Amino acid sequence: KKPLAFFDLETTGVDTINDRIVEISMLKAMPDGSSVQKTMRINPEIDIPVEASAVHGIYDEDVKDSPVFRKAAHEIQSFLEGCDLAGYNSNKFDIPVLVEELLRVGIPVDFSDKSFVDIQNIFHKMEQRTLAAAYQFYCGKTMDNAHNALYDTQVTWEVFKAQLERYPELDSEIKALATFSRQSNFAMVDYAGRLAHNDKGEVVYNFGKHKGKTIAAVMQNEPGYYGWMLEADFPHQTKQCLRKEMEEIKRKKDANKEGEIQDKLSGLLDKFNKK
């Protein structure tokens, strides 16, 4: 019904908050069956660790003349406009990294109209394997150019099509696949998955010692936890969502107080009128 954009990032490391994109490849699968691709090298403005270069083959010299992210951001955003998003481990890594990069250069992010289909989660729930094994299992092919963003994206697209053919019981509607491919049973609130909705629709912490507990309950029993999260090394977008939820909790609390005051006033008026 609308384009589905598969994308893959090569980065300076695996830290979704502090590491930077060095290459992004996007494949937009159109509703009519056609597709369009775009690959961009990015100057991360920091040194690429040799360990990362050994994985994806991209070195400082390769990106020294490439645009920095703030120069490429609008082109990337434009390519993804109106698309649902898909990738391999994208819910846990690629989407949080991309969102963090956009926020870092001052571009507001609202993916609320997008569904996220994580091919890895579908694969792990159905077969418990890796991308190379998925390619072999579903497509009968061997990966020979792994950790090249364009190649990985094309392989992911092929695996996804093969999954739909192999599992006719899967609902191929994108929103249903996005729900099925979530790593957690809870619906994410932030893109990094640190906050989620429980089955009652309440916002809960989705990690650590308070996992599954509502923000409101933790605020009541351990108010310092909220401040710790805002000061700690969490993604900007996670903190934005947490602040928004705290504002909503305060609004409801103030509204309840106002209601209690009104009830008390009504009670006093009733007593006065009876007298």
Side-chain angles (χ1 to χ4, degrees), residues 113-124:
D113 63 335
K114 298 182 185 299
S115 293
F116 303 151
V117 180
D118 193 321
I119 307 328
Q120 184 189 62
N121 287 340
I122 294 176
F123 182 42
H124 284 180

Side-chain angles (χ1 to χ4, degrees), residues 27-46:
L27 184 155
K28 190 187 301 186
M30 308 301 287
D32 65 3
S34 63
S35 64
V36 58
Q37 297 179 177
K38 181 183 290 292
T39 299
M40 303 174 68
R41 288 275 174 93
I42 306 291
N43 183 339
E45 299 184 274
I46 61 174

Side-chain angles (χ1 to χ4, degrees), residues 190-222:
D190 65 321
Y191 301 125
R194 299 291 188 171
L195 307 174
H197 286 114
N198 63 17
D199 54 8
K200 296 179 181 178
E202 301 166 317
V203 179
V204 299
Y205 289 108
N206 198 33
F207 73 101
K209 64 179 181 178
H210 292 308
K211 185 173 182 178
K213 297 179 183 177
T214 65
I215 308 300
V218 174
M219 185 62 187
Q220 183 175 358
N221 298 321
E222 190 180 341

Side-chain angles (χ1 to χ4, degrees), residues 80-199:
L80 298 177
E81 185 71 28
C83 297
D84 290 317
L85 301 180
Y88 197 86
N89 195 33
S90 49
N91 285 359
K92 189 175 180 181
F93 184 76
D94 300 85
I95 289 173
V97 170
L98 179 60
V99 168
E100 195 70 9
E101 288 274 37
L102 289 168
L103 292 175
R104 191 178 289 117
V105 297
I107 296 178
V109 178
D110 181 6
F111 286 168
S112 59
D113 63 335
K114 298 182 185 299
S115 293
F116 303 151
V117 180
D118 193 321
I119 307 328
Q120 184 189 62
N121 287 340
I122 294 176
F123 182 42
H124 284 180
K125 287 184 176 184
M126 303 303 284
E127 302 295 345
Q128 304 293 313
R129 295 291 194 276
T130 62
L131 178 57
Y135 199 40
Q136 177 65 46
F137 182 86
Y138 290 109
C139 305
K141 300 177 182 179
T142 302
M143 288 186 69
D144 55 11
N145 196 16
H147 297 295
N148 170 282
L150 175 58
Y151 182 72
D152 286 358
T153 302
Q154 291 171 329
V155 166
T156 302
W157 169 227
E158 286 189 50
V159 168
F160 177 63
K161 289 187 289 185
Q163 284 177 330
L164 294 181
E165 292 177 3
R166 179 176 288 265
Y167 307 119
E169 68 271 25
L170 281 177
D171 188 337
S172 60
E173 200 274 328
I174 292 300
K175 286 188 180 297
L177 281 173
T179 298
F180 183 76
S181 69
R182 285 202 306 258
Q183 192 170 30
S184 168
N185 291 330
F186 291 158
M188 290 190 303
V189 172
D190 65 321
Y191 301 125
R194 299 291 188 171
L195 307 174
H197 286 114
N198 63 17
D199 54 8

